[in-house]
Amino acid sequence: MSKIVILGAGISGHVAATHLRRKLSKQHEVVVVSPNSNYQWVPSNIWVGIGKMKSEKIYFPLAPLYKKKGIQFKQAKAISFHPEGDKTEQTPYVLSEYVVGNQKGQQEKITYDYLINATGPKLNFGATEGLIPGKNKAYSVCTYSHANHAWGGLNKVIQQLKAGKKAKILIGTGHAKSTCQGAAFEYILNVEQELRKHKVRDKAEVTWISNEYQLGDFGMDGMLMRYGSLTMKSHEMIEMIFEDRGIKWILGAGVHKVEDGVAHYENLEGEHKSETYDFAMLIPSFSGHGFKAYDKNENDITEKLFKGFMIVDADYTAKPYEEWSVRDWPETYQNPNYKNIFAPGIAFAPPHSISKPRKSKNGTDITPAPPRTGMPSGITAKLVADNIIDSIKGGKKSLHHKGSMGNMGAACIASAGFGLTKGSGVSITTFPIVPDYEKYPETQGRQLGKTFGEIGLAGHWLKLALHYAFIYKAKMKPFWWLIPE
Amino acid sequence: MTQRISKYQRFKMMNPVIQFFKFIYLSIKIMVVVAGGHGGTRNLN
Ligand SMILES: Cc1cc2nc3c(=O)[nH]c(=O)nc-3n(C[C@H](O)[C@H](O)[C@H](O)COP(=O)(O)OP(=O)(O)OC[C@H]3O[C@@H](n4cnc5c(N)ncnc54)[C@H](O)[C@@H]3O)c2cc1C
């Protein structure tokens, strides 16, 4: 009998838990530890943030589903890792603290045979002075409650615009090393379309602010892509969309301070500038959760498990951009020091950024961190689960399933406006996610046929279809496993 | 605002009939890219 503990019930944790439960007999325990009682389909937060979708549509409670399916659920947060146990507990465990109910505040040593750390990122608002969701007229759409809040702020501005006032809207990244530009990109296009629907577009100045060197970098060093019969660079495509929508842009900007209606930033030229706004949505930087780890003698061994995020089978040797290789990226998401610990999704420490690192003239790092979107989060979680399943069933450790982001495709279906007939979407697929310059030297590291962009109503339908399909899958409705990650 | 997308392009982008076929085409293409397999990089190269 094996016990598999999964920390986190986001996209990667939930995917791992559901596959483990489906493929392992009930004699094996699957335990999920997560502080949030709900599963949320994060990509649809964009629509919550423009008031077009109720947050209840994007989340559902985990406890009843897990009870029905035979998955144990502990509404608790992991605090520290003890991969060798301790003086009184021989088995590896994670010290966790319950966050609700009678047990609130109580700590438990949750023992495991296999541990999957799927705790995603900490939304590190604290890294940018004054960037607090809902304060200083700046908002976030990273969770459904943030997105609800953002809609409240945006709606207020729309009402002011209707009353004849002018307003400035600023959307993008709130830190020199933020990631998730794709989410901000979706949000700015949706907000812009809402302003047009409310017939107040002419009264608002809409500006994109980002740590990207070029538009369309998306933390992936941009891409060369097919667009209809053309081959174009992603920055050309995004520039075309922004110009067409009358959106201004500020690039290479590391926002470091937010005050009431003012974002202060440094740009790659080393200039310190500020931008005023009446409504802002700025994505914070993502960081690890600051977990500690201890050996059986209670010595601190955090550096064996964490490098901000969790250490996995990546090549973390520091080297210049020119020497970066697709082979630096992990394949099995296994911790090299404790082979029964894995970290799929956003929880693993990337070897380096994907975009070329850039510093301002003052030496400030202004580089997007590498994104790990929903699809790679799901795919890496499933392959981790499959390796654990094979190891348990085969009776010996197996790492047969591999999935490097350098040999994996991703689709970014960015909503560009809501509405069954008036909506729009920008559909971009990339293969591979991390460019492989050895395999595809002529096409900037990507396979052209599989790296393409499309703009139009079909993109909106696709994003909506994905919303329903993935919620269906997450609810483990009949044949859920046929829907790919 | 600069008109970077022509009226004809916009018509194609928003026409529900054209977009219905595009939806089918995109769904298949995305499945091919995303569900079309993944693997390691270290042994391949
Ligand atoms: C607004 C927005 C829009 C996006 N749109 C898209 C999109 O269109 N397409 C796409 O592919 N991707 C999109 N993404 C990215 C996608 O949401 C992420 O890639 C994905 O959520 C990452 O999954 P994860 O499971 O690794 O992390 P998360 O989803 O962040 O899950 C982490 C889990 O860990 C739990 N946790 C946290 N701390 C602890 C602890 N101490 N102990 C135990 N559990 C803990 C959390 O409660 C949560 O359940 C978007 C992201 C945002 C913010």
Side-chain angles (χ1 to χ4, degrees):
Chain A
M1 191 206 100
S2 295
K3 180 175 178 186
I4 305 110
V5 171
I6 299 141
L7 305 176
I11 294 180
S12 51
H14 188 64
V15 163
T18 52
H19 281 285
L20 283 161
R21 190 63 293 165
R22 186 172 91 83
K23 292 184 185 163
L24 286 177
S25 65
K26 291 278 156 61
Q27 71 184 103
H28 303 289
E29 277 182 84
V30 177
V31 183
V32 173
V33 179
S34 186
N36 194 333
S37 60
N38 295 318
Y39 174 84
Q40 59 168 320
W41 178 245
V42 180
S44 299
N45 281 341
I46 299 301
W47 293 329
V48 176
I50 55 158
K52 284 288 184 258
M53 196 174 261
K54 291 260 172 267
S55 54
E56 298 81 54
K57 291 252 181 219
I58 71 160
Y59 69 75
F60 63 85
L62 285 166
L65 176 72
Y66 283 170
K67 191 168 175 215
K68 194 166 137 202
K69 298 290 174 182
I71 298 170
Q72 282 183 50
F73 180 51
K74 293 175 189 281
Q75 203 180 333
K77 59 175 187 215
I79 297 173
S80 56
F81 290 60
H82 303 258
E84 301 171 7
D86 62 22
K87 285 172 187 152
T88 54
E89 174 58 71
Q90 306 287 301
T91 319
Y93 70 87
V94 177
L95 185 68
S96 303
E97 185 177 301
Y98 286 89
V99 296
V100 287
N102 296 340
Q103 289 173 297
K104 189 174 173 180
Q106 268 179 37
Q107 295 192 346
E108 182 184 336
K109 293 178 181 179
I110 303 176
T111 57
Y112 61 84
D113 297 303
Y114 293 92
L115 179 68
I116 300 178
N117 172 17
T119 47
K122 173 181 163 193
L123 301 173
N124 196 9
F125 290 100
T128 307
E129 191 183 333
L131 183 63
I132 303 155
K135 290 260 164 70
N136 294 326
K137 302 192 189 91
Y139 298 85
S140 147
V141 287
C142 290
T143 68
Y144 55 82
S145 47
H146 289 172
N148 262 330
H149 219 163
W151 166 235
L154 181 64
N155 193 23
K156 217 157 102 186
V157 171
I158 292 175
Q159 299 317 317
Q160 287 167 357
L161 290 167
K162 281 186 173 168
K165 268 185 76 178
K166 292 212 173 249
K168 285 174 86 177
I169 290 173
L170 185 69
I171 294 172
T173 55
H175 189 269
K177 290 184 168 180
S178 294
T179 180
C180 230
Q181 287 77 11
F185 171 69
E186 284 189 82
Y187 193 58
I188 198 167
L189 295 181
N190 273 275
V191 168
E192 197 273 336
Q193 168 145 327
E194 283 311 297
L195 296 176
R196 275 187 284 135
K197 274 192 193 155
H198 286 278
K199 302 199 173 21
V200 290
R201 177 64 182 94
D202 54 326
K203 298 195 178 67
E205 185 181 307
V206 183
T207 307
W208 171 254
I209 187 164
S210 166
N211 53 356
E212 299 159 296
Y213 172 66
Q214 276 185 325
L215 287 177
D217 179 284
F218 292 130
M220 300 201 296
D221 230 2
M223 57 215 114
L224 191 68
M225 54 168 33
R226 277 270 151 77
Y227 176 68
S229 54
L230 305 172
T231 299
M232 61 159 71
K233 293 187 176 168
S234 51
H235 76 86
E236 293 166 332
M237 184 184 175
I238 306 304
E239 199 174 303
M240 174 176 87
I241 296 169
F242 276 8
E243 279 194 351
D244 195 67
R245 297 274 197 108
I247 296 171
K248 299 178 176 175
W249 59 87
I250 301 168
L251 295 170
V255 174
H256 55 83
K257 187 175 173 182
V258 173
E259 289 176 319
D260 190 21
V262 195
H264 300 276
Y265 65 94
E266 180 184 347
N267 63 18
L268 285 165
E269 289 304 308
E271 298 162 322
H272 287 271
K273 294 190 160 187
S274 50
E275 187 68 20
T276 57
Y277 60 82
D278 299 282
F279 171 88
M281 196 295 289
L282 298 171
I283 303 273
S285 71
F286 289 0
S287 73
H289 292 275
F291 295 126
K292 289 273 185 200
Y294 300 93
D295 69 7
K296 60 175 175 293
N297 298 315
E298 281 156 40
N299 298 312
D300 190 327
I301 53 157
T302 304
E303 81 290 349
K304 279 185 156 181
L305 262 82
F306 298 101
K307 203 179 186 304
F309 292 97
M310 182 164 259
I311 294 171
V312 292
D313 60 319
D315 181 353
Y316 294 107
T317 322
K319 45 191 169 184
Y321 175 73
E322 292 67 34
E323 289 172 28
W324 288 0
S325 158
V326 72
R327 289 185 294 277
D328 299 341
W329 287 78
E331 297 182 331
T332 62
Y333 308 89
Q334 182 188 47
N335 179 265
N337 299 307
Y338 295 96
K339 309 246 181 219
N340 56 348
I341 302 183
F342 298 83
I346 298 186
F348 79 84
H352 39 65
S353 60
I354 302 175
S355 298
K356 184 174 180 173
R358 289 186 168 84
K359 282 188 194 295
S360 76
K361 289 188 174 159
N362 308 317
T364 312
D365 244 322
I366 305 179
T367 311
R372 277 147 295 162
T373 54
M375 283 175 185
S377 296
I379 291 170
T380 54
K382 181 163 186 277
L383 74 90
V384 162
D386 282 335
N387 281 331
I388 294 175
I389 292 160
D390 288 354
S391 301
I392 292 172
K393 287 188 172 170
K396 66 175 179 10
K397 297 268 176 286
S398 167
L399 289 176
H400 181 65
H401 300 273
K402 290 182 177 168
S404 160
M405 281 171 53
N407 188 3
M408 185 190 291
C412 172
I413 315 299
S415 167
F418 195 92
L420 271 186
T421 54
K422 297 271 185 286
S424 184
V426 180
S427 316
I428 299 176
T429 66
T430 313
F431 187 93
I433 302 164
V434 175
D436 187 338
Y437 293 102
E438 286 171 36
K439 220 166 165 185
Y440 310 108
E442 308 286 319
T443 47
Q444 298 188 355
R446 305 253 168 54
Q447 189 180 331
L448 261 194
K450 289 184 172 180
T451 305
F452 68 93
E454 279 285 344
I455 312 171
L457 182 56
H460 173 70
W461 293 343
L462 209 54
K463 173 117 182 161
L464 207 55
L466 290 178
H467 165 92
Y468 290 113
F470 282 116
I471 288 185
Y472 181 93
K473 180 179 167 75
K475 286 185 173 170
M476 300 175 82
K477 299 253 176 135
F479 303 108
W480 61 269
W481 66 88
L482 293 177
I483 300 170
E485 276 52 55
Chain B
M1 238 170 260
T2 315
Q3 195 183 7
R4 288 285 307 267
I5 298 174
S6 68
K7 284 207 170 117
Y8 177 58
Q9 276 176 312
R10 207 181 300 276
F11 164 76
K12 285 199 294 181
M13 284 173 186
M14 301 310 289
N15 181 289
V17 179
I18 298 171
Q19 290 298 312
F20 174 74
F21 290 105
K22 192 123 248 174
F23 174 75
I24 308 277
Y25 166 76
L26 278 176
S27 308
I28 296 168
K29 206 153 178 202
I30 286 167
M31 282 286 254
V32 170
V33 174
V34 178
H38 51 265
T41 52
R42 293 176 193 150
N43 298 335
L44 288 178
N45 290 296

